[in-house]
Amino acid sequence: MATRKRTSTAPEKDSTKPSTLAPPVEKNLSAEVLAALDITDTSMNPPASLEGRDHELLKKLYDGVVKARAFEDRMHSMYRAGDLLGSYYSGNWHEAISVGTMAAMEERDYYCPLHRDVGGHLMRGMPPEQIMGSFMGKSIAPTGGRDGTLHYGRLDLNTYNPPSHIPANYPVATGMAFAAKYRGEDRVAVAICGDGSTSRADFHESVNIAGAMQLPAVFQVQNNQIAMGTKLSMQTNSGSFVIKAAAYGIPGIKCDGTDVIAVYDAMKEAIDRARSGGGPTIVEAVTMRMHGHAEHDGAEYVDPALKEEWGKRDPVELYEKRLIEAGVISEEEAAETREAARKWAIAARKIAITAPMPDPTNIEEGVYAD
Ligand SMILES: Cc1ncc(C[n+]2csc(CCOP(=O)(O)OP(=O)(O)O)c2C)c(N)n1
């Protein structure tokens, strides 16, 4: 095919005349903008060091990721066995993010999670059978069986529901952060969304106003490479999500979402800053969605090389290996913890399976208002 040479009929530019489209950038403005670029990227660092860490915290994180994985495994098999009403939105390979985040939070902090944050829910005290019951439409679910997914809240656990319209939890978290500041309460709101959700207006409006008002909020983006079937390259041209923090004049931290300690460190820094009046932070945690968008989705659209590369970075296995190498736990202890978690998940399934379905005469109770 012949290549056509580009010709231009536009008049030559007069470089002495300022453009009418783009006003000249003030020198002091660009200095200000540069000073506002407070971005840390540790996502490619070697795993965060275990040196000098509190062993109780390390074990708590281990227990958290092992339980989250045991729960995920059980849910995948329950889906295949036909136990669930609909599908399951797996948090597989997200365990380190969910657990590292919850470990960095205080009980009084507002938790506005993503639809894959089972690890955080469990760590905050959600009984596993209630989460299972939610996916089964059972009466023991926090909604009493009115929803078949993770779209529930527990006000007593300061956990607020991720509504289906993503990321509608972002403006809610910003409102909570505003309320906390207005009332002088020592509470931080943590809002979590995925890479795809960052393209929506709710994301930008929430982070912008939180930055302008210096609200005690942390905005986490779980970058798992794909939003339903949309790859990162189709989602944004910015290369990373943490860089967006600069536009709102707030700090940003990008971390390895398969390293539970790196996530804990990033979230702790952001939460401590928010709590001490330093305003919001965007935290980007990078992982991979190893299952489909939900279990009914075979995810054939995912590049096998990407899956293979991330398949080597199992957040639970990697952490376990490091703890054993550092002598924090023994191989036997690790095996016992895994087996106990497996039994715990099986026992929860039994409770969920035998729990009654909702009483249809109560269907209007708790809907809108009692
Ligand atoms: C406003 C809105 N548009 C579309 C959907 C359908 N939907 C549900 S999850 C999802 C993809 C979300 O991707 P991302 O935010 O990256 O999170 P991930 O599921 O990858 O963890 C879409 C498009 C929705 N729930 N809400």
Side-chain angles (χ1 to χ4, degrees):
M1 198 169 68
T3 47
R4 247 201 290 161
K5 208 174 163 201
R6 272 170 182 249
T7 53
S8 170
T9 52
E12 291 253 323
K13 263 193 192 162
D14 179 352
S15 56
T16 59
K17 274 192 189 167
S19 156
T20 48
L21 287 177
V25 177
E26 296 280 341
K27 280 214 174 80
N28 58 354
L29 179 72
S30 61
E32 248 183 80
V33 170
L34 283 177
L37 280 176
D38 187 1
I39 309 287
T40 314
D41 184 350
T42 63
S43 60
M44 301 299 280
N45 281 9
S49 165
L50 301 185
E51 260 322 276
R53 303 263 183 185
D54 170 10
H55 280 203
E56 282 316 301
L57 172 69
L58 297 180
K59 286 182 188 174
K60 184 174 156 184
L61 293 171
Y62 177 62
D63 193 58
V65 292
V66 167
K67 277 204 173 119
R69 176 61 57 85
F71 186 92
E72 293 293 342
D73 289 349
R74 191 59 33 197
M75 289 304 276
H76 302 150
S77 62
M78 284 170 76
Y79 171 77
R80 284 192 293 275
D83 287 343
L84 312 183
L85 277 186
S87 208
Y88 179 63
Y89 302 80
S90 177
N92 178 263
W93 251 241
H94 281 246
E95 295 92 345
I97 311 180
S98 265
V99 168
T101 297
M102 187 48 71
M105 292 177 69
E106 299 290 339
E107 274 178 27
R108 62 184 177 280
D109 293 337
Y110 298 111
Y111 185 45
C112 302
L114 177 77
H115 46 276
R116 305 189 187 280
D117 271 320
V118 153
H121 284 265
L122 291 170
M123 212 173 181
R124 193 157 249 212
M126 266 299 294
E129 60 273 15
Q130 282 194 21
I131 307 180
M132 289 171 172
S134 216
F135 284 89
M136 300 168 98
K138 292 286 180 97
S139 58
I140 56 165
T143 60
R146 288 171 182 76
D147 184 85
T149 69
L150 213 63
H151 294 155
Y152 61 76
R154 278 278 305 261
L155 298 187
D156 57 328
L157 294 178
N158 291 319
T159 297
Y160 298 84
N161 64 316
S164 182
H165 301 80
I166 50 170
N169 57 344
Y170 261 55
V172 171
T174 297
M176 287 165 170
F178 175 81
K181 186 169 178 171
Y182 183 73
R183 294 175 182 154
E185 289 174 355
D186 179 22
R187 300 171 94 176
V188 175
V190 175
I192 307 178
C193 76
D195 39 283
S197 305
T198 62
S199 301
R200 296 257 315 166
D202 334 27
F203 175 88
H204 301 281
E205 292 171 13
S206 309
V207 184
N208 181 59
I209 194 71
M213 299 184 82
Q214 287 292 281
L215 301 180
V218 178
F219 298 104
Q220 184 189 84
V221 179
Q222 296 191 6
N223 176 0
N224 66 6
Q225 323 281 329
I226 317 143
M228 243 164 168
T230 308
K231 295 178 198 161
L232 283 186
S233 55
M234 292 291 288
Q235 194 67 252
T236 178
N237 201 30
S238 10
S240 87
F241 297 98
V242 72
I243 196 77
K244 293 173 197 281
Y248 307 110
I250 64 173
I253 311 170
K254 181 173 178 176
C255 63
D256 177 357
T258 63
D259 179 352
V260 67
I261 311 233
V263 176
Y264 172 81
D265 284 348
M267 288 303 293
K268 187 85 174 71
E269 182 186 327
I271 290 170
D272 285 353
R273 178 165 38 238
R275 206 182 298 288
S276 60
T281 302
I282 289 182
V283 175
E284 176 181 352
V286 192
T287 186
M288 169 79 195
R289 204 190 70 206
M290 297 298 283
H291 285 238
H293 170 66
E295 291 306 288
H296 61 265
D297 166 19
E300 293 80 9
Y301 47 80
V302 178
D303 178 0
L306 194 65
K307 250 188 142 170
E308 200 190 320
E309 180 199 328
W310 283 89
K312 296 175 198 147
R313 296 174 59 177
D314 181 330
V316 183
E317 269 182 22
L318 288 179
Y319 185 50
E320 181 180 290
K321 200 164 161 256
R322 285 170 58 209
L323 288 182
I324 293 172
E325 275 168 13
V328 179
I329 55 170
S330 65
E331 293 214 11
E332 294 70 40
E333 274 176 277
E336 275 165 26
T337 308
R338 270 187 273 114
E339 184 54 15
R342 197 179 71 85
K343 287 191 175 141
W344 160 87
I346 289 172
R349 175 181 176 261
K350 245 187 207 155
I351 302 174
I353 293 256
T354 50
M357 291 301 279
D359 175 353
T361 61
N362 299 335
I363 198 155
E364 285 179 1
E365 261 176 36
V367 179
Y368 298 118
D370 275 333

